[in-house]
Amino acid sequence: MRWDTEASVGSQVHSRAGRTVRSKAPVFVLGCIRSGTTLLYHILLSAGNFVVYRAESNAINLLEPRFGDLRIKRNKEKLMEAWLNSKLFQVSGLDSGQIKAKVMAECQNGGDFLHIIMGEMARNQNVERWAECTPEHLLHLERIKETIPDALVIHIIRDGRDVALSAAQLDYVRRMWWDRSPKFMASGLYWEWAVKKGRKDGRKLGPDYTEVRFEELITDPRTTLAKLSGFIDQELNYDQILKIGIGSVSEPNTSFKDEKGGFNPLERWKKRYTPENLSAFEAAVGTTLEELGYPLATTDRSLLNRPDMQRMRGLYRTYFDSKLWLKSKTPLGKIFITKDLSWL
């Protein structure tokens, strides 16, 4: 397991003065889609002293860019109108009038909004801290630390071959119009892009960033949670967590409902890829798999030297970079985001 503790690079622009003690700091459980973020998030909730909020906030990746500068009153009013009419509010347990008044008076940005609503839930539930698990927030670590300077980030990483299968099963990543390859190829390329960006940005956070492998969380949870206990400065008692058993701790969040022989989320790829599909997949993202410590199944190295897979990899990387830039940096991004908000 890798635990990155490089010194923080560059200055931070803080919207809130000072830092809380580490044992009360908010924790972001992030990772590429289908990598185990929900499971680890529910483990933290089951450990106690965290706000129980079984929802992804989408505060930084969708709400802030959609509603614009939250220092402007009318933008906050539009944000609150949408949020108060959403499932995100319905499961919060908050009073609509009180939370709207507090947001209107204090919120300056997406980080403030998240801090305010989670802080109010913490007071209501009589706990000291909160956690958050929107997977796409992995792509916005700089903004998270800029607006929530005491945030601790746990990046959970899973074998991309399993992630791609699960994401394709749920049709999370759409193929480009010209792509006729199996759906899991685009999902695998998204996994590689998201993980590499998360690791690159995460290392800039110094001791406030760490990584954990999904496979180690499943096979050796006590050791893994002992290390995370030190990172978040709170005991994660595995026996207590199993006893409380919130959400995915008791009921696995799986996209494979037809599994025979019992639930096992590890190395599904060994049974579900054809040899040809597996060699193509590893030709596209095999370098990253190996960098992360996942051995390749393709032993014939000549099968990994495929220029067509590298061209596809480059095209998708450009596509993902461009879409993220449009969504987070330009007014045109509101077109994408409005569609993404349709589930609220």
Side-chain angles (χ1 to χ4, degrees), residues 195-205 209:
V195 168
K196 289 178 77 70
K197 178 170 175 51
R199 299 188 87 205
K200 178 182 178 182
D201 295 345
R203 291 192 183 103
K204 298 175 185 178
L205 307 185
Y209 169 84

Side-chain angles (χ1 to χ4, degrees), residues 126-325:
N126 195 30
V127 295
E128 294 183 305
R129 66 196 310 189
W130 52 269
E132 206 284 329
C133 73
T134 304
E136 198 173 322
H137 280 166
L138 179 67
L139 309 176
H140 301 271
L141 296 185
E142 181 178 358
R143 184 60 174 166
I144 287 170
K145 286 297 284 186
E146 183 181 11
T147 58
I148 309 177
D150 55 347
L152 305 176
V153 176
I154 303 172
H155 181 183
I156 184 166
I157 298 172
R158 185 182 183 185
D159 189 325
R161 292 163 293 197
D162 279 329
V163 171
L165 285 173
S166 184
Q169 187 91 343
L170 298 173
D171 207 23
Y172 274 153
V173 181
R174 300 295 180 88
R175 290 174 293 187
M176 296 179 70
W177 64 270
W178 48 263
D179 185 3
R180 296 296 180 267
S181 65
K183 290 192 295 184
F184 59 74
M185 288 298 299
S187 297
L189 291 166
Y190 177 82
W191 165 83
E192 180 190 49
W193 173 77
V195 168
K196 289 178 77 70
K197 178 170 175 51
R199 299 188 87 205
K200 178 182 178 182
D201 295 345
R203 291 192 183 103
K204 298 175 185 178
L205 307 185
D208 290 347
Y209 169 84
T210 194
E211 295 176 2
V212 62
R213 296 292 186 268
F214 173 79
E215 293 78 12
E216 293 178 351
L217 181 63
I218 297 297
T219 59
D220 191 8
R222 294 183 188 277
T223 300
T224 303
L225 294 178
K227 292 178 180 179
L228 287 179
S229 295
F231 176 71
I232 68 171
D233 196 16
Q234 177 178 325
E235 182 182 4
L236 299 175
N237 185 300
Y238 188 55
D239 294 322
Q240 175 72 8
I241 289 165
L242 290 179
K243 181 179 179 180
I244 301 300
I246 291 174
S248 299
V249 177
S250 298
E251 300 177 5
N253 177 28
T254 178
S255 59
F256 295 92
K257 304 299 184 181
D258 59 344
E259 285 190 318
K260 298 178 181 179
F263 173 72
N264 182 6
L266 304 181
E267 297 185 336
R268 288 192 178 105
W269 60 267
K270 289 186 175 181
K271 297 179 180 180
R272 295 180 179 262
Y273 285 96
T274 66
E276 295 76 14
N277 285 340
L278 182 58
S279 64
F281 187 92
E282 293 184 343
V285 301
T287 300
T288 299
L289 284 168
E290 289 186 310
E291 286 176 356
L292 294 169
Y294 297 108
L296 302 187
T298 306
T299 56
D300 185 348
R301 306 301 290 191
S302 66
L303 296 176
L304 300 176
N305 185 22
R306 291 186 52 172
D308 60 327
M309 290 296 100
Q310 293 308 308
R311 284 194 297 271
M312 179 185 288
R313 181 176 182 241
L315 288 169
Y316 268 100
R317 184 183 299 173
T318 300
Y319 168 68
F320 295 140
D321 282 338
S322 300
K323 188 175 180 180
L324 177 62
W325 182 78

